[in-house]
Amino acid sequence: MDWNFVIFSTLKILCVIFLALMPMVAYAVLAERKISAFIQDRVGPNRVSLPLIGGIPIIGPFLTRWGVWQPMADGLKAFLKEDFTPNYVRKAYFWLAPALTMTPAFLTIAVIPFGSNLGNQKMVIADLNVGILYTFGIVSLGVYGIVLAGYASNSKYPFLGGIRSTAQMISYEIAMGMSVIPVFLVAGDLNLSKIVERQALEGWFALPFMAQQQTLMSYLLWPCAMISFFIFLVSAFAETNRLPFDLPESETELVAGYNTEYSSIKFALFFMGEYANMIAASCMMVTLFFGGWSLPGLATPANTILAGLLHIGVFVGKMLVFMVLFIWVRWMLPRFRYDQLMDLGWRRFVPLALANILVTATVLLLLNSK
Amino acid sequence: MIVQRKPLTFWERLYLPAIAGGFKVTWKHFRRTLFGGDNAAKQTSKGYYPEVPWTVADGYRGAPYLLKDQDGNTKCVSCQLCEFVCPPKAIKITPPGDSGLKADRSNAEKMPLEFEINMLRCIFCGFCQEVCPEEAIFLQKDYSLTGLTRSEMIYDKEKLLALGGTNAGIQKWKHKLEEAKVQETFPVKL
């Protein structure tokens, strides 16, 4: 057995999950609360202070005002609250559902190349040659958590939420899956690391001018890539149950949708799962359409530790842009009606994605036959 | 009334104008709050809630308390209508029984031996106030009730009467008495 590989893989998994993903989820919640507050003329969390740090002049009050310690208080609260299980629920599924929501979100991260190299390690947990197929497989599992929560709660609103999420997530998975096919037609590879490396050299699919060397081909394929990206973006909103597609939760109609009967840390798991899903979706968009860790001038895989860290920083920066987009759109658009959602998915996006595949394939055929 | 629903134009059906409009509005508020240092609390009062208490408007429906009449007597006659109407079953009244506590005022036969409102259950709906024939219970201005135990949050008769205070505004029985006295003589001068 290659012990080196085992040790470094474990290290990467632990670092990504506990040092990157979990804090990011926690602070995504804070960002959501702060940005939402600003959009609604409020100030957001500005109370939590730590005993020693809070006493430091200027810095202490500043951190408190920006709610930097709020995620800790939130987490502590989630653990200490009464964990109430109604006695009419189906216990086994009721306990299983939060875990099933949280895990797929984390598993998706495994194939994302979040950096080029650090030392002699590739900065991706699992460099699968069928990366995107793995992602879609895992993303499909995500729906089970919500459906099981709706079913196990044995109560009408969670049940309606569960039904809605089944229909919504399955419908948009099709559009999402087909929207990325043009990317792979162009790249000629399913491995996400290879896709990023190609984009680094020949231009990001969504922004072809961000390239090491300009090619005519990437400009000709720009419209197709933009349509792909647009469908992927909208589908990502639907898959992560974010507004304007938060029908499984829709608190104005369904109390809180699928998680109505949940409390304490089980509810927090659903909540964290949603944000982890948002992070995973942002990572996918950055990887597929915005050149992953690359920037023009930083296009070759890193040889030094510094360049490697820089690449990781670039990736995280791009991802944060999408996180802000996710949060911002929540307050921009009202919720779609259920039939409008289905109409948009099946009658607009699926045909559009199919046509897009055809056009991309034709353009590639014409370009390559010269 | 029939609402006229105009078919949307192609441009509107693209959702793009709605998205642009949404961004414009949200950006305006975001910029004003984050960079302009302006927010709703500054506009309406001098600061934020725990430090600057909220000014409760007249007619606010807060916690229900029992009232005394102008002479300091219990108004409640233990009819139990509020207990019956209470949607979350927060009110529990123990009537005095056959040979129990007599009312401490005239015009009433009895008053409650015990009157409890569980403030953890109470939803401040005001049905009790609405149904009370004696105007003995009113939703008042308290909105932030706290306690360290559940039993502490069950307010008993003494506490409710102390918190409720006296309402000298409506003096139903005093007026009834005056009317009755006036009607003793003939012709009635009222």
Side-chain angles (χ1 to χ4, degrees):
Chain A
M1 191 183 264
D2 184 3
W3 283 105
N4 211 18
F5 173 74
V6 173
I7 289 167
F8 275 109
S9 293
T10 318
L11 205 63
K12 273 192 275 189
I13 293 170
L14 291 178
C15 284
V16 166
I17 297 286
F18 291 105
L19 294 183
L21 207 53
M22 296 289 261
M24 254 185 224
V25 167
Y27 280 91
V29 177
L30 177 69
E32 165 111 53
R33 291 177 68 177
K34 272 289 184 189
I35 294 174
S36 306
F38 292 147
I39 289 174
Q40 296 170 355
D41 292 350
R42 297 181 287 115
V43 282
N46 64 346
R47 296 280 150 174
V48 183
S49 169
L50 286 189
L52 285 174
I53 303 172
I56 303 171
I58 305 171
I59 301 170
F62 177 80
L63 293 178
T64 300
R65 207 170 63 235
W66 281 92
V68 173
W69 315 114
Q70 184 71 29
M72 289 184 203
D74 285 346
L76 198 67
K77 180 189 137 193
F79 273 107
L80 294 181
K81 271 188 103 168
E82 181 185 5
D83 188 6
F84 184 74
T85 311
N87 64 2
Y88 48 77
V89 300
R90 299 181 172 92
K91 293 253 164 32
Y93 300 128
F94 190 77
W95 279 74
L96 196 60
L100 273 181
T101 317
M102 187 81 172
T103 340
F106 281 1
L107 285 175
T108 326
I109 305 291
V111 289
I112 307 281
F114 52 87
S116 53
N117 294 318
L118 204 59
N120 54 2
Q121 290 294 317
K122 282 194 98 170
M123 283 294 102
V124 49
I125 292 171
D127 199 13
L128 293 184
N129 53 6
V130 288
I132 191 72
L133 294 182
Y134 165 87
T135 309
F136 279 106
I138 296 294
V139 165
S140 317
L141 287 180
V143 71
Y144 282 103
I146 294 176
V147 171
L148 268 185
Y151 168 73
S153 294
N154 223 351
S155 136
K156 60 190 167 191
Y157 293 123
F159 185 65
L160 283 172
I163 289 176
R164 283 180 178 196
S165 84
T166 332
Q168 172 180 333
M169 291 177 87
I170 289 171
S171 309
Y172 276 84
E173 231 153 62
I174 296 168
M176 196 183 203
M178 290 203 289
S179 74
V180 293
I181 291 176
V183 171
F184 299 107
L185 285 177
V186 177
D189 206 315
L190 287 176
N191 185 323
L192 293 173
S193 308
K194 296 267 168 54
I195 288 169
V196 171
E197 277 162 30
R198 190 201 171 277
Q199 287 184 80
L201 292 176
E202 296 180 38
W204 307 352
F205 287 122
L207 302 169
F209 49 84
M210 300 293 269
Q212 194 74 346
Q213 65 220 33
Q214 308 285 344
T215 55
L216 179 66
M217 187 170 129
S218 49
Y219 282 97
L220 284 175
L221 289 165
W222 195 1
C224 298
M226 281 316 286
I227 291 171
S228 273
F229 170 63
F230 180 69
I231 297 174
F232 193 90
L233 179 73
V234 177
S235 305
F237 273 92
E239 288 285 304
T240 49
N241 301 326
R242 293 288 298 181
L243 268 166
F245 305 116
D246 70 332
L247 288 145
E249 254 188 85
S250 52
E251 54 282 275
T252 42
E253 302 155 34
L254 302 181
V255 188
Y258 59 90
N259 56 31
T260 306
E261 307 289 347
Y262 283 87
S263 53
S264 157
I265 194 67
K266 289 211 217 62
F267 170 74
L269 279 176
F270 278 116
F271 202 68
M272 282 150 72
E274 185 186 321
Y275 285 88
N277 268 325
M278 278 160 67
I279 290 175
S282 306
C283 288
M284 282 308 288
M285 281 187 276
V286 169
T287 308
L288 290 174
F289 299 101
F290 287 87
W293 42 261
S294 72
L295 267 187
L298 274 174
T300 46
N303 301 319
T304 58
I305 296 276
L306 187 68
L309 290 175
L310 209 57
H311 277 157
I312 294 177
V314 167
F315 181 84
V316 171
K318 287 179 186 174
M319 196 205 77
L320 292 181
V321 172
F322 279 101
M323 289 301 286
V324 172
L325 180 74
F326 267 108
I327 293 167
W328 199 293
V329 165
R330 181 172 179 189
W331 306 110
M332 267 167 58
L333 300 173
R335 181 182 304 128
F336 272 57
R337 215 170 51 209
Y338 190 52
D339 61 312
Q340 290 171 334
L341 175 91
M342 286 294 146
D343 185 71
L344 189 71
W346 287 102
R347 285 176 49 203
R348 304 277 195 283
F349 284 164
V350 170
L352 189 63
L354 280 171
N356 195 27
I357 296 172
L358 199 68
V359 172
T360 315
T362 318
V363 172
L364 280 174
L365 188 71
L366 292 175
L367 282 173
N368 291 340
S369 64
K370 271 194 292 200
Chain B
M1 193 178 94
I2 297 167
V3 178
Q4 291 295 322
R5 294 190 190 278
K6 282 187 214 145
L8 299 177
T9 60
F10 177 74
W11 179 236
E12 283 169 330
R13 274 190 288 133
L14 278 178
Y15 303 123
L16 293 177
I19 291 173
F23 182 75
K24 217 174 99 185
V25 171
T26 47
W27 172 251
K28 197 179 81 192
H29 285 266
F30 184 81
R31 198 199 54 212
R32 206 170 59 197
T33 321
L34 182 58
F35 304 118
D38 196 11
N39 58 55
K42 267 189 193 162
Q43 284 171 16
T44 52
S45 60
K46 297 244 160 23
Y48 307 120
Y49 164 62
E51 291 93 32
V52 182
W54 174 47
T55 332
V56 184
D58 282 337
Y60 180 78
R61 296 182 183 204
Y65 293 142
L66 288 178
L67 296 182
K68 288 178 182 161
D69 67 4
Q70 66 280 3
D71 305 320
N73 301 323
T74 312
K75 284 178 111 181
C76 178
V77 294
S78 186
C79 72
Q80 292 175 298
L81 275 174
C82 51
E83 187 181 14
F84 181 73
V85 80
C86 183
K89 302 200 188 307
I91 299 177
K92 189 177 148 206
I93 298 171
T94 316
D98 288 339
S99 54
L101 201 61
K102 290 279 176 289
D104 52 9
R105 63 181 169 91
S106 54
N107 310 103
E109 285 175 7
K110 53 182 181 166
M111 63 185 211
L113 192 63
E114 189 46 86
F115 191 112
E116 289 174 343
I117 301 181
N118 186 342
M119 290 301 179
L120 291 172
R121 295 198 72 100
C122 180
I123 56 171
F124 299 2
C125 67
F127 280 14
C128 47
Q129 171 183 338
E130 205 169 308
V131 82
C132 183
E134 294 294 321
E135 288 143 354
I137 187 166
F138 273 88
L139 297 195
Q140 302 200 352
K141 285 186 172 180
D142 284 10
Y143 55 90
S144 173
L145 309 177
T146 49
L148 292 174
T149 56
R150 285 172 195 270
S151 53
E152 204 179 306
M153 295 306 290
I154 299 174
Y155 286 23
D156 62 5
K157 192 172 89 170
E158 280 71 44
K159 194 167 182 187
L160 289 169
L161 282 168
L163 288 166
T166 320
N167 185 352
I170 307 162
Q171 300 181 350
K172 179 181 166 188
W173 289 111
K174 192 182 159 198
H175 295 148
K176 292 265 183 202
L177 196 67
E178 281 164 6
E179 276 171 37
K181 275 181 185 157
V182 168
Q183 280 167 358
E184 293 285 302
T185 58
F186 190 81
V188 179
K189 298 170 288 188
L190 196 67

